[in-house]
């Protein structure tokens, strides 16, 4: 590393919900609520947690039981009680009051169950919903340039058109855009890399992929986009899996690192600025901004198969604005 980075403690959980795999924290300022999913619980759920007058002993969330796995959800601009989301095999609307799922477009065949599924996603500045899939069978294999995983990245437009933008993805995960919308950041967890694309905001297209942050180990036989373009990271973070991410107004990337129990903050050049460490939650999953000033960072986590530490599955909170003077941006809403 060219300079030392700050290391600090994530602290105790904010809300002890013990999700199987908590994901996609999403803030709604109108009623000061935080929404997040538990895609692999039985049944799958969307949690709605009130933040106004929050009390750790008495405040409870409202959990929507779902008939299908929803791995990410985003608000709709003109439908205040509805989400767009990625279900197990495609795109769907979800009713916030009832949890009813309206299937929009199935992208994966029924035969793909247990092999492929949708994962993370986000809405861009033009109201288009991006979401990608992961290949469970390829994730059992060593990283290799000879492997051709079947994960994909798609864009679902308000008119219902679907466009494929990336292929050969192991585990499609965090998506986010720079404040000026010139770049899109996209993590492949199992490939252990965050990519940065040039982004055409008007057309909704991506080009010129580079390695933004590289968590691969030297013996990984997977070169990805352009090896050597990413800055070095500390050895103890190597082999961590980059999960969900968001950006702040300065263009810094705030990433949950699966398997290493930390939230990392990188500047726009890929330089590591901060490492925020959880004591007993090794599987942090996704970050998201909240609060009336959008300066509070929440992070979900996982507790799956008896693994995940004492605090696994809980929701964590970082007062990023108070501590570092940074803030995020409200997430865009689907324009349909």
């Amino acid at each position: 590393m060219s300079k030392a980075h700050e290391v600090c403690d994530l602290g105790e959980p904010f809300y002890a919900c013990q999700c199987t795999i908590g994901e996609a924290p999403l803030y709604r300022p109108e009623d000061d609520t935080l929404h997040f999913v538990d895609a692999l619980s039985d049944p799958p759920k969307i949690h709605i947690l009130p933040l106004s007058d929050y009390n750790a002993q008495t405040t409870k969330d409202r959990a929507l039981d779902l008939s299908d796995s929803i791995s990410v959800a985003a608000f709709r601009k003109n439908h205040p009680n509805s989400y767009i989301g990625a279900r197990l095999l495609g795109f769907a609307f979800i009713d916030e009051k009832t949890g009813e799922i309206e299937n929009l477009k199935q992208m994966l065949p029924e035969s793909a169950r247990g092999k492929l599924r949708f994962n993370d996603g986000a809405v861009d500045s033009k109201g288009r919903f991006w979401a990608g899939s992961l290949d469970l069978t390829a994730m059992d294999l060593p990283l290799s340039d000879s492997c051709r995983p079947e994960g994909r990245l798609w864009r679902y437009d308000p008119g219902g058109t679907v466009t494929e933008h990336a292929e050969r993805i192991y585990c499609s995960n965090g998506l986010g855009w720079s404040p000026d919308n010139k770049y899109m950041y996209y993590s492949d967890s199992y490939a252990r890399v965050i990519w940065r694309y040039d982004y055409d905001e008007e057309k909704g297209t991506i080009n010129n992929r580079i390695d933004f942050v590289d968590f691969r180990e030297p013996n990984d036989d997977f070169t990805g986009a352009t090896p050597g373009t990413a800055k070095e990271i500390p050895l103890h973070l190597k082999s961590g899996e980059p999960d969900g991410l968001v950006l702040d107004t300065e263009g810094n990337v705030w990433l949950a690192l699966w398997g290493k129990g930390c939230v990392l903050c990188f500047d726009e050049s890929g330089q590591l600025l901060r490492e925020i460490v959880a004591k007993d939650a090794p599987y942090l999953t996704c970050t998201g901004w909240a609060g009336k000033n959008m300066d509070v960072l929440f992070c979900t986590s996982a507790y799956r198969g008896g693994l995940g530490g004492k605090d696994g599955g809980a929701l964590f909170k970082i007062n990023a604005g108070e501590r570092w003077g940074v803030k995020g941006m409200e997430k865009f809403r689907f324009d349909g």
Side-chain angles (χ1 to χ4, degrees), residues 240-252:
E241 297 185 6
D243 210 311
L245 59 84
V246 288
L247 282 86
D248 64 26
T249 58
E250 298 175 4
N252 300 317

Side-chain angles (χ1 to χ4, degrees), residues 180-214:
D180 59 8
N181 291 301
K182 290 183 178 179
Y183 300 110
M184 189 182 85
Y185 298 84
Y186 176 42
S187 57
D188 184 332
S189 292
Y190 189 70
R192 296 196 282 272
V193 64
I194 304 173
W195 289 303
R196 193 192 76 186
Y197 292 88
D198 292 340
Y199 184 67
D200 188 316
E201 182 181 15
E202 294 301 320
K203 295 178 180 178
T205 55
I206 52 177
N207 292 287
N208 303 323
R209 190 177 80 179
I210 66 167
D211 293 350
F212 178 68
V213 181
D214 183 358

Side-chain angles (χ1 to χ4, degrees), residues 123-124 126-130 155 157 199 201-204:
V123 176
D124 69 16
K126 299 298 183 181
R128 301 168 293 218
F129 182 55
W130 295 68
R155 192 192 77 222
D157 291 356
Y199 184 67
E201 182 181 15
E202 294 301 320
K203 295 178 180 178

Side-chain angles (χ1 to χ4, degrees), residues 6-163:
E6 178 182 0
V7 180
C8 56
D9 185 6
L10 182 58
E12 297 299 315
F14 175 77
Y15 185 63
C17 45
Q18 202 174 75
C19 290
T20 303
I21 299 186
E23 288 279 10
L26 177 69
Y27 178 67
R28 183 165 60 198
E30 292 94 321
D31 59 358
D32 198 24
T33 54
L34 189 76
H35 305 233
F36 55 99
V37 305
D38 190 351
L40 298 183
S41 63
D42 186 14
K45 299 179 186 296
I46 293 178
H47 294 267
I48 304 170
L49 179 67
L51 298 182
S52 298
D53 303 317
Y54 176 83
N55 183 294
Q57 281 69 49
T58 60
T59 300
K60 300 296 181 184
D61 64 25
R62 179 167 72 92
L64 293 171
D65 289 343
L66 306 173
S67 60
D68 194 6
S69 174
I70 297 293
S71 52
V72 63
F75 299 129
R76 298 172 65 191
K77 186 180 296 185
N78 300 314
H79 299 269
N81 296 306
S82 179
Y83 312 92
I84 188 170
R87 62 185 180 90
L88 196 70
L89 301 177
F91 298 98
F93 289 146
I94 307 102
D95 188 296
E96 183 185 329
K97 293 182 178 180
T98 65
E100 182 179 350
I101 295 174
E102 176 189 345
N103 293 328
L104 296 174
K105 189 154 292 188
Q106 183 162 322
M107 304 304 299
L108 305 174
E110 291 295 330
S111 60
R113 288 183 182 271
K115 301 174 185 177
L116 303 170
R117 70 171 177 84
F118 266 76
N119 202 34
D120 207 354
V123 176
D124 69 16
S125 62
K126 299 298 183 181
R128 301 168 293 218
F129 182 55
W130 295 68
S133 58
L134 57 82
D135 187 336
L136 292 163
T137 61
M139 289 165 64
D140 290 332
L141 304 173
L143 284 179
S144 171
D145 279 336
S146 63
C147 183
R148 301 201 64 83
E150 292 298 321
R152 300 286 189 272
L153 175 66
W154 289 279
R155 192 192 77 222
Y156 184 90
D157 291 356
T161 301
V162 179
T163 309

